[in-house]
Amino acid sequence: MLKKIGIAVAIILVGIQFVKVDKNEAAIRDIDSFVIDTKANIEVQNILAAKCFDCHSNKTAYPWYAKVAPVSFWINHHVEEGKEHLDFSNWSNYKTKRKKHKLEELVEELEEDKMPLESYEILHGDLTESEQKLLIDWAKATILSY
Ligand code: HEC
């Protein structure tokens, strides 16, 4: 019985590898207008690139395990949901009011320690306190500049 279940699970695991997942892989990470518009300096850009753009831009740097189903389904769900809420690659299409609101949300998410998602932090690490502060200061200054 156990052997049969084992075989069935193996067949399912192999089978789901063929299910197509829509990857978030544009040729370039399109963040130029966002960087200019929010005056994100290189430090801010580096932190966002390391901890946020994977789920909030048009290009995810997929680690190898992200290619293996069912992990790929789960990661892509996070990416799709993340982008739906906030897409830095789509920044130029946001109206000023929306930009401000998104940056306010960003401050809130960081102050409440909600981003990056916990599951992401396991392998990518959390923001350090100084990184968190840098992002919050930049976001607040940008909100005031609009
Ligand atoms: C593993 C994917 C992932 C990573 C990495 C990630 N996010 Fe998110 N983010 C999400 C998802 C999913 C949501 C929507 C659900 C929620 O709010 O929990 C979200 C929501 C948000 C929102 C709320 C937007 C709104 O208007 O509701 C902000 C702001 C945000 N993220 C900022 C960040 C920042 C800043 C970082 C980096 C420090 C980051 N996120 C990293 C997946 C991610």
Side-chain angles (χ1 to χ4, degrees):
M1 181 65 186
L2 262 183
K3 198 175 161 200
K4 275 195 182 147
I5 294 173
I7 292 171
V9 170
I11 290 173
I12 291 169
L13 282 178
V14 171
I16 59 174
Q17 304 309 320
F18 295 98
V19 178
K20 209 177 161 309
V21 182
D22 279 330
K23 289 264 175 64
N24 183 42
E25 284 181 311
I28 51 157
R29 198 176 249 167
D30 190 7
I31 47 136
D32 289 356
S33 48
F34 161 74
V35 166
I36 294 166
D37 189 62
T38 62
K39 296 176 198 68
N41 66 22
I42 194 74
E43 275 176 297
V44 168
Q45 289 178 49
N46 285 343
I47 301 169
L48 293 174
K51 310 283 182 184
C52 316
F53 286 162
D54 274 344
C55 299
H56 294 293
S57 83
N58 64 344
K59 189 165 190 256
T60 305
Y62 289 99
W64 67 266
Y65 51 82
K67 300 200 163 82
V68 185
V71 180
S72 53
F73 305 158
W74 183 65
I75 288 181
N76 251 59
H77 172 69
H78 279 162
V79 173
E80 270 169 23
E81 209 194 331
K83 265 175 77 175
E84 221 169 85
H85 282 82
L86 172 63
D87 184 357
F88 292 119
S89 299
N90 194 27
W91 194 253
S92 55
N93 292 321
Y94 288 4
K95 300 227 159 66
T96 306
K97 196 173 159 212
R98 185 148 184 231
K99 289 176 179 171
K100 263 179 143 167
H101 177 67
K102 291 295 163 189
L103 290 171
E104 278 157 10
E105 291 278 340
L106 187 145
V107 171
E108 216 170 275
E109 297 277 334
L110 292 182
E111 278 175 348
E112 289 170 13
D113 224 356
K114 286 198 186 143
M115 284 290 142
L117 290 183
E118 242 170 70
S119 55
Y120 185 85
E121 287 175 5
I122 297 171
L123 289 149
H124 295 81
D126 194 1
L127 295 173
T128 63
E129 238 168 74
S130 61
E131 286 172 338
Q132 204 169 30
K133 187 176 178 312
L134 208 94
L135 289 186
I136 291 173
D137 290 348
W138 153 80
K140 283 183 174 168
T142 311
I143 293 167
L144 289 177
S145 78
Y146 280 133

